[in-house]
Amino acid sequence: AVQRTFSIIKPDATKRNLTGAINAKLEAAGLRIVAQKRIHLTKAQAGVFYAVHAERPFYDELCEFMASEPIVVQVLEGEDAIAKNREVMGATNPAEAAEGTIRKEFALSIGENSVHGSDAAETAAVEIAYFFSGLELVG
Ligand code: CMP
């Protein structure tokens, strides 16, 4: 079925001017960018977004990193968009990411891993609603 998923181009990637290169890979994978904006999160806003990881040892470092530079938040649409996006992103740890994936090509480490993508339909809906209003989604 046609789905929407939420995506972030993270600080390590925006800093290295990789927004276009990453978007090219998303589009080549059959995903349509139906909403996109460049924003600079506060650490508190990053903390809310990643609240599910609040008990993890890397939480503070993760929030610092996500607030360190601008990010690009996006809504991607397509057939099985959630799985398709996870496939083109590659494994969280770039050392384990498959050839040709975004993380294999661009990620620096498990923390500075260039992109985020929703892991399920329920989280996609919550994540999209945190950053976008309905009027901003242009399919
Ligand atoms: P993301 O898909 O955005 O979801 C949570 C993020 O936490 C994950 O990508 C990684 O960037 C980050 N993360 C996961 N494990 C670690 C770790 N061991 N150290 C630092 N960051 C991590």
Side-chain angles (χ1 to χ4, degrees), residues 1-51:
V2 172
Q3 291 178 322
R4 283 176 173 172
T5 190
F6 176 73
S7 165
I8 302 179
I9 301 177
K10 294 188 180 185
D12 66 282
T14 60
K15 192 176 183 173
R16 287 176 290 149
N17 230 11
L18 293 171
T19 298
I22 289 172
N23 279 348
K25 280 195 173 286
L26 296 173
E27 291 183 339
L31 294 161
R32 180 174 296 276
I33 301 164
V34 298
Q36 172 168 261
K37 59 190 171 189
R38 182 171 163 101
I39 60 175
H40 195 151
L41 291 179
T42 65
K43 190 177 172 185
Q45 289 168 336
V48 171
F49 178 72
Y50 279 121

Side-chain angles (χ1 to χ4, degrees), residues 53-108:
H53 296 304
E55 302 309 316
R56 305 281 193 95
F58 56 81
Y59 179 65
D60 191 68
E61 179 192 329
L62 173 62
C63 296
E64 282 280 352
F65 167 62
M66 291 302 289
S68 67
E69 295 277 337
I71 61 173
V72 175
V73 292
Q74 312 174 301
V75 180
L76 309 176
E77 184 179 273
E79 189 69 25
D80 292 321
I82 295 168
K84 200 171 268 183
N85 184 41
R86 292 182 73 76
E87 191 178 333
V88 69
M89 285 195 298
T92 303
N93 183 349
E96 293 162 10
E99 214 56 54
T101 62
I102 292 169
R103 284 167 171 160
K104 174 70 177 187
E105 201 154 317
F106 302 124
L108 302 174

